[in-house]
């Protein structure tokens, strides 16, 4: 049996960017071939797209984890890594995207509307792309960024043309089953319907959708019963139809009272998206009153008694029987007319265009605050500094020196001096904490040393290539002063 799922939590994981490659071109008779390490590929994005063929969030209920492909690392000979495969997730029209705290991130209305659920990480640059006047043959490359990981809540507000409202057991599910091909659960006890049922109705040349909203009771607008869970499904309905049980035997209930109670709940409920739908609040939507179960003699008499009073309110009234199909043809044509008029007044929404907001020219891209956990320390925040930290290979002195140059050019060092930072104080960027050494010369003003090293950084514990060569000869019992024979021919 099919299920209607209207609220799910998904875990979207974008692909990681591939690492850049540190490589030197090697060819016979060309000892100085230069750097030729390629860039890493970008990680794939996770994107939500409105698909008119999707009507429920059921797939996400069973498969809540969505992961895009990772970018491939770069290689020598200037070969860039392939980009990760993006993941496109189709969602129903009318899906809202919220974060873990319940804040609305996107309202997906209109075929083709997209939302970037998680952005893939950038691929790291290879040493060929990092070559400059100061670093002609970089001995390092940049790491790829990790893909974004987000926990999102998807909530569906049904995009139906007609919404059926009424007390439990008023016959809403039965009406949907006879007007359309939908087969909702029908039983003779309250709250049989625990999920909205959607049906497609054909009326001559007109086709419209109808939604059976689970039974509402007094206090629904404040969360009583199933109220707040399903009142939201009425927000985008063009027409609201009161389905009234004229054969109820409950004391204190009659068609007029039932309608008045539900009208009060509709008026009290404030749609969260009324500015987006353009339909106004629920109290102003067109109304239709459906007096159901007139196949029962007493119900037919009661329907005749209240028809005049309800008609005075300006609402079309239809007495029907979902069991014998009496009055259904007239009702179907009337609903089709109201829906047709709505579509004329409200053209079909189109996919929303992405909004690009350029960065202000005076935005330095970072901010510095005092570290509350470290007296005299500072925390640097900003997209660029935190990204550069993730891209850096901290086991490579030259890569660390390159990071220092980037931060210096951005103005981080000058800002720290302005804030009174002293040598040796802790500076935290992202998840890495440094001991700050001010006035580090930039690479353009300082001679660079061998590949993978930077003489501006005092790293006496690091063993150089020459020391490793001597240690290797000693382990072999050879004279460290003599050169090893060249066996390459």
């Amino acid at each position: 049996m099919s299920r209607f799922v209207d609220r799910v939590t998904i875990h979207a994981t974008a692909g990681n960017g591939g690492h850049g490659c540190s490589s030197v071109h090697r060819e016979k008779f060309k000892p100085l071939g230069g750097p030729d390490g390629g860039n890493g590929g970008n990680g794939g994005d996770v994107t939500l797209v409105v698909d008119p063929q999707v009507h429920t969030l059921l797939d996400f209920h069973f498969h809540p984890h969505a992961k895009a492909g990772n970018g491939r690392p770069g290689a020598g000979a200037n070969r860039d890594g392939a980009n990760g495969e993006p993941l496109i997730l189709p969602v129903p029209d009318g899906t809202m995207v919220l974060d873990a705290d319940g804040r609305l991130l996107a309202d997906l209305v209109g075929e083709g509307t997209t939302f970037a659920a998680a952005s893939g990480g950038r691929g790291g640059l290879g040493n060929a792309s990092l070559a400059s006047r100061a670093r002609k043959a970089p001995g390092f490359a940049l790491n790829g960024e990790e893909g974004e990981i987000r926990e999102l809540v998807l909530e569906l507000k049904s995009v139906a043309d007609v919404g059926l409202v009424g007390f439990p057991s008023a016959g809403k599910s039965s009406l949907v089953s006879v007007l359309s091909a939908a087969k909702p659960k029908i039983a003779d006890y309250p709250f049989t319907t625990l999920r909205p049922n959607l049906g497609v109705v054909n009326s001559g040349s007109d086709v419209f959708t109808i939604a059976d909203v689970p039974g509402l009771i007094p206090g629904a607008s404040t969360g009583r019963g199933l109220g707040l869970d399903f009142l939201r499904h009425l927000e985008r309905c063009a027409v609201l139809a009161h389905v009234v049980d004229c054969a109820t035997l409950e004391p204190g209930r009659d068609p007029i009272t039932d309608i008045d109670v539900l009208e009060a709940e509709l008026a009290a409920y404030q749609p969260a998206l009324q500015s987006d739908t353009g339909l106004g609040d629920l109290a102003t939507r067109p109304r239709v009153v459906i007096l159901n179960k007139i196949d029962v003699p007493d119900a037919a008499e009661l329907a005749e008694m209240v028809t005049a009073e309800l008609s005075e309110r300006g609402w079309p009234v239809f007495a029907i029987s979902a069991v014998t199909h009496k009055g259904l043809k007239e009702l179907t044509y009337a609903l089709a007319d109201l829906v047709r008029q709505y579509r004329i007044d409200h053209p079909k929404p189109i996919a929303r265009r992405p909004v690009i907001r350029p960065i202000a020219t005076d935005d330095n891209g970072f901010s510095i605050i005092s570290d509350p956990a470290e007296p005299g320390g500072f925390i640097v925040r900003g997209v660029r500094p935190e990204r550069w930290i993730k891209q850096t290979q901290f086991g490579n002195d030259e890569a660390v020196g390159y990071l220092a140059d980037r931060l210096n050019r951005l103005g981080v060092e000058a800002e720290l001096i302005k804030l009174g930072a002293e040598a040796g104080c802790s500076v935290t960027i992202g998840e890495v904490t440094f001991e700050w050494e001010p006035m580090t010369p930039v690479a353009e003003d300082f001679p660079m040393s061998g590949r993978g090293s930077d003489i501006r950084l005092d790293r006496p514990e690091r063993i150089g290539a020459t020391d490793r060569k001597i240690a290797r000869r000693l382990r072999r019992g050879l004279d460290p002063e003599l050169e090893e024979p060249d066996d390459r021919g």
Side-chain angles (χ1 to χ4, degrees), residues 13-272:
T13 304
N16 298 329
H19 296 325
C21 175
S22 177
S23 171
V24 175
H25 180 70
R26 291 176 173 85
E27 188 176 345
K28 192 174 184 179
F29 306 122
K30 291 185 179 181
L32 301 176
D36 67 347
N39 303 329
N42 296 327
D45 298 333
V46 179
T47 306
L48 305 178
V49 180
V50 173
D51 187 340
Q53 304 302 319
V54 179
H55 304 287
T56 178
L57 301 174
L58 182 63
D59 286 346
F60 300 108
H61 175 75
F62 293 108
H63 304 285
H65 296 276
K67 188 178 188 309
N70 295 329
R72 303 293 297 174
N78 293 304
R79 290 173 292 175
D80 293 341
N83 293 332
E85 192 71 23
L87 180 62
I88 299 177
L89 303 175
V91 297
D93 195 358
T95 300
M96 293 197 311
V97 184
L98 304 95
D99 62 13
D101 298 325
R103 292 188 293 266
L104 180 64
L105 302 179
D107 179 23
L108 305 180
V109 179
E111 179 180 354
T113 302
T114 63
F115 172 74
S119 300
R122 297 184 182 183
L125 297 178
N127 65 342
S129 298
L130 297 173
S132 64
R133 179 176 62 84
R135 293 184 175 86
K136 293 181 171 56
F140 69 98
L142 298 185
N143 294 330
E145 297 179 26
E146 293 184 354
E148 190 176 11
I149 301 176
R150 301 177 74 181
E151 180 177 294
L152 301 172
V153 177
L154 304 184
E155 186 175 285
L156 176 60
K157 295 194 174 183
S158 303
V159 182
D161 297 309
V162 179
L164 303 181
V165 296
F167 275 74
S169 298
K172 300 183 298 297
S173 298
S174 299
L175 185 57
V176 171
S177 68
V178 296
L179 291 180
S180 69
K183 301 298 179 186
K185 181 179 180 181
I186 300 173
D188 59 352
Y189 54 84
F191 296 105
T192 304
T193 303
L194 298 179
R195 299 289 181 187
N197 297 302
L198 296 177
V200 179
V201 182
N202 291 281
S203 176
S205 60
D206 296 317
V207 178
F208 61 91
T209 56
I210 188 169
D212 162 23
V213 179
L216 304 180
I217 59 176
S221 61
T222 60
R224 187 180 178 191
L226 301 176
L228 287 180
D229 286 339
F230 300 113
L231 270 171
R232 65 175 182 269
H233 288 284
L234 299 175
E235 291 190 23
R236 292 192 174 104
C237 293
V239 179
L240 300 183
H242 283 286
V243 180
V244 182
D245 181 3
C246 291
T248 182
L249 299 177
E250 294 184 26
R253 283 190 53 191
D254 61 80
I256 302 296
T257 303
D258 286 0
I259 292 176
D260 289 342
V261 168
L262 293 183
E263 281 294 318
E265 296 302 324
L266 294 175
Y269 177 73
Q270 294 296 324

Side-chain angles (χ1 to χ4, degrees), residues 23 26 65 74 218 258 269 283 306 314 316 319 331 381 394 418 460 474 477:
S23 171
R26 291 176 173 85
H65 296 276
D258 286 0
Y269 177 73
V306 301
L331 173 63
R381 293 176 177 172
F394 284 97
K418 185 185 300 184
L474 290 174

